[in-house]
Amino acid sequence: MNHRLRMHWTPSYYTSVRSSYSKLLNAIIIRPMVESIFTEQAIGRFLWSDIISHIDIPSSNCSHMDGFAVKYKDIRRISQHGPIKLGVVPMKKDGKSENQILHTGQAIRISTGEVLPRLGDTVIPVEYTDFDSKSNTVIIQRDFAKGSFVSYKGSEIASKDLLLSKGHALRAQDLALVSMLGIRKLKVFKKPRVAIVPTGNELTEKMTDIKLGKILNTNSRVISNLIETSGGAPLDLGITPDNIQKIKNKIRIALSECDIILTTGGSSVGLRDLVAESINDIGKPGILVHGVKLDRGRVTGLAALRSRAIIILPGPIQGAVNAFIVFAHPLIRLKLGLQPFTKPFILAKLTEGWNARKKFQNFTKIVYVKMSRSASGDFYAKPISGETTDITVLTRTNGFILVPERSTTIEKGQKVKINVLPGLSFSSGNPIEFHYQSVRSFLPL
C-alpha cells in the first residue's frame, strides 16, 4: 500500500545496490554480541562457539538388546558343536555392574541400556536362548560375532568430539544432544534489535480511521514480521507525524536502544525529504545514499549515525520489502555471525518470459514468482507482476529472483535460481509447500 499520496521527492542520482551497501558498511560497526540462554529456549538460535563433548556416550560398554551378556570365547564353537549351556549369575544390584567380573562359563541376564560386566564382550538376544529358572542355566542356541549387540564406550560420542560448530542454527535434535551432555545453558548470538519508525500524517493504526482518508500502517507490520523471521528483535516505535523535531526524537530513541534503524512509510513530503533532513540534523555522517538503482525501491535511503545503520524504506510495499531484502536482511545476518547474502534457493524453470521495465533496465531487479512442482518433481516459476503498491503481488508469490543490473530478460523455459526467505516465501512455523501444476502434461497418467 502506498503511504504517500502527495508529490514525492525524487532522487537526482542513483547509486548501484553494491556501491550503496559498501558505503553503508564502511560507515557503521557491525559487532555481533553474545548472550547465555537456557538450552530449552534455544531453538532456532545460532551458536556463539563450538560444542565439544566432555564425556563419552555411552559412558560404558552397554547392551542394546534384551538378552544375556557372555564371553565370546564361550560361544564361538556353537556353529561346530551345537548349543551350549552356561550358568546364569545375578547382576549386582548396587549399580556397579561394570565392576562385576564375568567368568568363563557364565552368563548374566541384561536389559537394553544396561552396562556390561567386566570381560563380557557379546550379547545374545533373548530369542536365541532357552533359560531354565530352576537350574539358573541358559542354553545359547547359536553363535554371534564378538561384540554383537554391544554399544561400546564412546561409540556414539567420544570425549573431545566436535558436535556442533559455531554459527549452527539449533534444531530440536541438537538441543536433545546438548541436554544429554548436561549443558543447561548455551552461548548464542544475541538477536539484533531493529527499530521501526513509521512516518506520515496520513498513517493510522485504527481501521475506523480509513473512512476519514487515513491509510492503515500495514508496512510496519510486514517489516516487523520479516525482522523476526530473519532472526532479529523488532521494536516498533509507533507512527510519527511529518514533523522534523518529532522524527528526530524518534530516531534518537532508536539510536539509544537498537542496533539497526528502519524508517517506513515513505521518505518525503512534497519536494522535501523530512526523514533525510532529520537524520542530517542529528549528526554525521548522516545520509550516505538516497536513490538506489533498485527496481522497485529506488527512493531507498541509507544513513549512519553513531556507527549504526539507518535504512529509509520506500512507502510502496514492494519497494519497502525489496529494500529490506538487499539491505536490512544482510545486516541482521551479520549481527548473527552469518554470511550476509546466503539464502536458501530452488532451481526452477520459468513458465513465461520476463523483461525488465525499459526505464530501469540497468537497475538491480527483484522479480517475484509463484513456484509450483510437477508430478515428476520438477519446479516451475511464474513471474508475478503488478503495481508497486499492490500487496497482492507479494501474497501471490512464494519466491523471488534477484536480477543483476546487466540482465534485462529471462527467456521462457530458462532455469533460474529462486530465493526463498522465511516470513516472505513461507511462514516461520511451516515448511514451504508447492502444489502440483494444473497443466495436464504435468499430471501423472
Side-chain angles (χ1 to χ4, degrees):
M1 180 176 292
N2 195 335
H3 283 182
R4 294 296 185 210
L5 301 179
R6 291 160 284 181
M7 183 180 294
H8 286 213
W9 164 86
T10 301
S12 58
Y13 176 78
Y14 295 105
T15 306
S16 72
V17 170
R18 184 185 295 273
S19 295
S20 298
Y21 182 74
S22 179
K23 286 183 178 182
L24 182 61
L25 277 190
N26 289 335
I28 63 175
I29 296 174
I30 293 288
R31 185 180 294 120
M33 303 294 286
V34 64
E35 64 178 340
S36 183
I37 62 175
F38 287 107
T39 297
E40 60 266 26
Q41 299 172 344
I43 189 76
R45 301 296 295 272
F46 299 94
L47 276 176
W48 177 262
S49 56
D50 296 341
I51 298 292
I52 297 174
S53 178
H54 59 280
I55 60 173
D56 293 312
I57 298 178
S59 57
S60 302
N61 297 341
C62 59
S63 172
H64 63 82
M65 288 288 287
D66 290 345
F68 291 86
V70 301
K71 299 174 75 170
Y72 172 70
K73 69 178 183 179
D74 283 340
I75 65 165
R76 62 185 176 181
R77 294 181 181 177
I78 289 178
S79 59
Q80 295 177 346
H81 303 286
I84 64 165
K85 182 185 290 187
L86 299 174
V88 178
V89 295
M91 180 81 78
K92 281 188 175 181
K93 296 181 179 181
D94 58 2
K96 297 182 179 179
S97 56
E98 60 185 334
N99 295 325
Q100 182 176 356
I101 298 176
L102 184 67
H103 296 286
T104 299
Q106 291 182 338
I108 289 180
R109 187 70 181 261
I110 196 166
S111 299
T112 301
E114 282 192 306
V115 175
L116 265 66
R118 289 174 61 190
L119 304 183
D121 54 19
T122 305
V123 173
I124 310 298
V126 67
E127 56 264 34
Y128 296 102
T129 66
D130 186 7
F131 175 62
D132 185 344
S133 59
K134 292 183 179 180
S135 62
N136 277 332
T137 59
V138 63
I139 295 176
I140 310 297
Q141 297 170 347
R142 57 158 287 188
D143 64 343
F144 287 87
K146 184 177 182 179
S148 292
F149 307 108
V150 174
S151 295
Y152 287 99
K153 177 181 179 179
S155 58
E156 182 177 4
I157 300 171
S159 179
K160 299 183 181 179
D161 275 355
L162 172 63
L163 302 180
L164 300 169
S165 299
K166 177 181 178 177
H168 179 77
L170 291 162
R171 305 163 297 173
Q173 60 267 40
D174 301 324
L175 300 184
L177 174 62
V178 169
S179 296
M180 288 172 62
L181 301 178
I183 299 175
R184 295 184 63 250
K185 280 193 167 185
L186 287 169
K187 287 185 177 180
V188 296
F189 282 88
K190 188 175 182 179
K191 289 185 176 185
R193 296 194 78 190
V194 184
I196 303 172
V197 182
T199 63
N201 291 332
E202 71 277 18
L203 298 183
T204 182
E205 300 290 356
K206 298 178 181 179
M207 289 290 295
T208 53
D209 288 344
I210 296 177
K211 294 180 180 180
L212 303 175
K214 294 284 188 175
I215 297 174
L216 195 64
N217 179 30
T218 54
N219 280 20
S220 291
R221 300 175 194 178
V222 172
I223 298 303
S224 179
N225 287 330
L226 289 178
I227 291 168
E228 194 164 8
T229 54
S230 298
L235 175 62
D236 191 336
L237 293 176
I239 294 172
T240 308
D242 291 321
N243 178 289
I244 285 184
Q245 191 56 49
K246 291 182 179 180
I247 294 173
K248 286 164 62 175
N249 290 341
K250 284 285 182 72
I251 291 174
R252 287 192 177 102
I253 293 171
L255 287 169
S256 67
E257 297 186 16
C258 296
D259 305 293
I260 301 166
I261 301 162
L262 309 179
T263 68
T264 70
S267 58
S268 62
V269 175
L271 297 177
R272 294 183 64 193
D273 187 335
L274 299 186
V275 174
E277 289 181 30
S278 301
I279 291 170
N280 283 334
D281 277 357
I282 293 174
K284 294 182 177 181
I287 297 293
L288 304 168
V289 172
H290 208 176
V292 178
K293 293 175 75 174
L294 176 65
D295 183 33
R296 309 173 186 255
R298 62 187 185 278
V299 298
T300 300
L302 303 177
L305 290 172
R306 302 179 194 172
S307 299
R308 288 174 172 79
I310 303 175
I311 304 173
I312 305 170
L313 302 179
I317 186 61
Q318 282 187 60
V321 171
N322 287 358
F324 180 90
I325 289 171
V326 298
F327 295 122
H329 185 257
L331 293 184
I332 292 172
R333 289 183 63 83
L334 283 173
K335 285 289 290 183
L336 293 170
L338 304 172
Q339 291 298 315
F341 294 105
T342 54
K343 286 184 284 292
F345 68 88
I346 294 170
L347 291 177
K349 287 184 180 179
L350 217 62
T351 60
E352 299 175 5
W354 171 86
N355 294 294
R357 295 197 293 171
K358 290 183 180 180
K359 191 176 180 180
F360 308 107
Q361 287 192 344
N362 65 336
F363 281 34
T364 295
K365 283 78 65 175
I366 293 181
V367 181
Y368 290 97
V369 299
K370 174 68 174 180
M371 279 188 291
S372 54
R373 185 181 52 164
S374 71
S376 62
D378 295 323
F379 289 99
Y380 294 83
K382 177 184 177 181
I384 302 296
S385 59
E387 295 299 324
T388 312
T389 56
D390 294 348
I391 187 69
T392 52
V393 170
L394 300 177
T395 60
R396 291 156 57 202
T397 66
N398 55 11
F400 59 90
I401 308 168
L402 278 171
V403 182
E405 293 179 5
R406 62 183 180 276
S407 298
T408 59
T409 62
I410 306 176
E411 299 295 331
K412 177 181 178 180
Q414 184 174 334
K415 202 166 240 187
V416 290
K417 183 194 292 186
I418 309 296
N419 295 273
V420 290
L421 191 69
L424 184 67
S425 303
F426 57 95
S427 73
S428 59
N430 296 296
I432 189 165
E433 294 182 358
F434 301 100
H435 298 289
Y436 286 139
Q437 288 274 16
S438 59
V439 180
R440 183 180 298 276
S441 62
F442 289 164
L443 298 177
L445 298 175

